[in-house]
Amino acid sequence: MRIIHTADWHLGKMFYGDYLTGDQRAVLAEQFLPLLAEYKPDAVVLAGDVYDRSLPPVEAVELFDEVATKIVKDLGLPFFVIAGNHDSAQRLSFGSRLLETEKFYVAGDLRSLAGPVEMSDAFGPVDIVLLPFADPAKVRLYYNNPDVCDHESALIVLRNAQCPGLLPGRRSIAVAHAFVAGGTGSDSERPLSVGGSDSVSARIFAPFTYAALGHLHGPQQIGCPEVRYSGSLMKYSFSEAAQKKGVVLVDMDGEGQVETTFLPLAPKRDVRILTGFFDDLMAAPEDNADDYILLRLEDKEPVLDGMNRARKKYPHVLAMEMPRRQAAVTDSERTARLRSHTDEELFARFAAAMRPDASLTKAEGDLAREVWTEMEKEEGER
Ligand SMILES: [Mn+2]
């Protein structure tokens, strides 16, 4: 049995004010789908966070519709999808009982869960057990089980309900969206709970031959190659700049021995952090100027109009940090220093900083003073 394990697509994700849907479409159409055609898996597994939010933009829904149709209809592959903590379980499960007949299995709403899906290969059956993300309170209520008090106990109850009798020696794959203890997080994952413990023990997955996990955006295995996060489709924060993104190819033999291979995906624009002095970075040669860039400057002095100047070289520069400058002057020091000047003095200093080669002319000074007076008058009238 061969499956492709992916997770955390976050379709419709907004990154520094812009939707990434176009980039997501490109990586899915130009790399993910061809990879399925090349490796010919028996099934595709998407372990939660299909969308970035519970009410995704229409472009994101259209994209998922197109990709799912290509996987299920054109390539003829069974497609297993669970809801993550960013998805609306109810909305995602629309039509799920109908889609099952097409081998498109969507698990979201607890009410629509129907136990393991049995697949088979030359060696016999393989159970696919879908464990969508569900809040502990929801699980406690739905299964009427007062013992459910955290994510760990909720997932155990859900697991036991979804696979009441895993036969010893029978092969099975769990698909879950959870924070498994020992995993390493990134900035773009939303915590599963506010306060309290949101992690679950890897032992929950011990009965399964392989656990296809979603939630953590960095690809990683937890303790052993059989409990694994594929990581997200793309880099969704600068904390992920050094991560490699891709999908996991899982090959399982007749005895339940599992071999995993990471297959990288490279979107058209990378997410990178550039560290150095502003002038050096602007002068350095660059082959991928179209990437999403965070400038982490070593300069201590202010860089005038830095973002606009940087944008001429890097059209997608998204942020600029100056850690050394922030360390040198604290916010309260800066505020105190500003308070010691009049508005007029501050404006003259600002003008001098913006135009170092020519100080304010008398006419400009007069005009500025006129505007200040006017503004103060209006303030007073309000
Ligand atoms: Mn996620």
Side-chain angles (χ1 to χ4, degrees):
M1 170 90 31
R2 163 174 275 194
I3 66 162
I4 292 278
H5 163 201
T6 177
D8 294 275
W9 285 8
H10 288 263
L11 302 181
K13 167 90 180 169
M14 197 179 244
F15 193 45
Y16 287 83
D18 281 322
Y19 284 113
L20 289 177
T21 321
D23 297 47
Q24 292 169 325
R25 174 181 294 277
V27 77
L28 286 169
E30 291 160 22
Q31 298 188 35
F32 180 74
L33 291 173
L35 185 144
L36 297 183
E38 183 184 345
Y39 287 91
K40 299 189 172 47
D42 298 299
V44 180
V45 166
L46 169 47
D49 286 352
V50 177
Y51 299 114
D52 190 54
R53 45 190 156 110
S54 58
L55 260 183
V58 284
E59 291 78 10
V61 179
E62 282 168 2
L63 175 56
F64 187 53
D65 179 64
E66 277 169 41
V67 173
T69 305
K70 291 219 165 97
I71 293 172
V72 178
K73 201 158 171 240
D74 300 354
L75 294 167
L77 302 174
F79 188 20
F80 296 91
V81 179
I82 62 166
N85 59 312
H86 283 249
D87 298 305
S88 158
Q90 282 76 16
R91 293 195 179 96
L92 199 68
S93 342
F94 170 79
S96 62
R97 278 161 291 196
L98 303 173
L99 294 169
E100 259 181 43
T101 58
E102 303 293 320
K103 297 197 178 347
F104 183 19
Y105 302 93
V106 182
D109 195 354
L110 298 178
R111 282 171 299 187
S112 62
L113 300 184
V117 178
E118 188 181 311
M119 302 238 321
S120 65
D121 60 11
F123 308 102
V126 177
D127 286 327
I128 314 287
V129 178
L130 303 176
L131 306 170
F133 175 79
D135 218 46
K138 234 185 221 174
V139 175
R140 181 169 51 232
L141 197 69
Y142 181 72
Y143 292 105
N144 192 19
N145 187 330
D147 295 337
V148 172
C149 56
D150 54 14
H151 286 268
E152 166 113 8
S153 46
L155 192 54
I156 290 172
V157 166
L158 181 57
R159 179 198 67 185
N160 295 346
Q162 270 291 72
C163 52
L166 277 177
L167 300 171
R170 184 169 163 125
R171 295 170 301 159
S172 59
I173 295 173
V175 186
H177 193 88
F179 186 173
V180 180
T184 310
S186 315
D187 284 349
S188 57
E189 297 137 11
R190 188 194 298 155
L192 299 178
S193 63
V194 179
S197 169
D198 57 3
S199 71
V200 304
S201 157
R203 282 194 307 273
I204 291 181
F205 303 106
F208 302 100
T209 318
Y210 180 76
L213 302 177
H215 183 56
L216 297 181
H217 286 187
Q220 57 198 289
Q221 56 185 53
I222 309 289
C224 59
E226 292 82 25
V227 178
R228 190 159 174 154
Y229 286 95
S230 65
S232 55
L233 181 69
M234 292 172 47
K235 298 176 183 178
Y236 291 131
S237 68
F238 282 108
S239 76
E240 295 158 63
Q243 292 175 5
K244 293 261 177 295
K245 299 297 184 179
V247 302
V248 180
L249 179 71
V250 184
D251 282 304
M252 186 189 291
D253 70 11
E255 270 80 56
Q257 291 298 314
V258 169
E259 200 180 296
T260 57
T261 315
F262 188 73
L263 306 174
L265 296 173
K268 57 179 180 176
R269 289 193 200 111
D270 199 2
V271 171
R272 289 191 291 146
I273 300 174
L274 301 181
T275 307
F277 288 97
F278 185 83
D279 291 340
D280 295 345
L281 292 174
M282 290 306 116
E286 178 60 72
D287 293 328
N288 299 299
D290 222 22
D291 288 349
Y292 295 110
I293 302 291
L294 164 69
L295 293 177
R296 193 164 280 161
L297 300 181
E298 285 169 17
D299 302 67
K300 281 189 189 148
E301 294 307 310
V303 175
L304 297 177
D305 206 20
M307 282 297 274
N308 280 326
R309 283 160 64 200
R311 211 165 274 133
K312 292 202 177 98
K313 180 173 181 184
Y314 296 104
H316 301 285
V317 59
L318 298 179
M320 198 166 89
E321 288 175 0
M322 299 184 75
R324 298 179 61 172
R325 183 163 161 73
Q326 273 147 20
V329 187
T330 67
D331 276 354
S332 59
E333 279 170 0
R334 196 174 298 139
T335 314
R337 205 189 288 171
L338 289 176
R339 289 237 168 91
S340 68
H341 293 282
T342 65
D343 289 345
E344 243 180 279
E345 282 168 350
L346 286 175
F347 181 71
R349 279 168 46 133
F350 170 73
M354 297 308 290
R355 205 176 58 185
D357 40 337
S359 55
L360 280 183
T361 63
K362 179 164 183 316
E364 285 169 336
D366 289 346
L367 180 65
R369 211 164 300 121
E370 214 172 283
V371 174
W372 283 123
T373 318
E374 198 124 310
M375 279 168 60
E376 273 166 15
K377 227 171 35 192
E378 276 174 27
E379 285 285 302
E381 282 164 10
R382 232 173 263 162

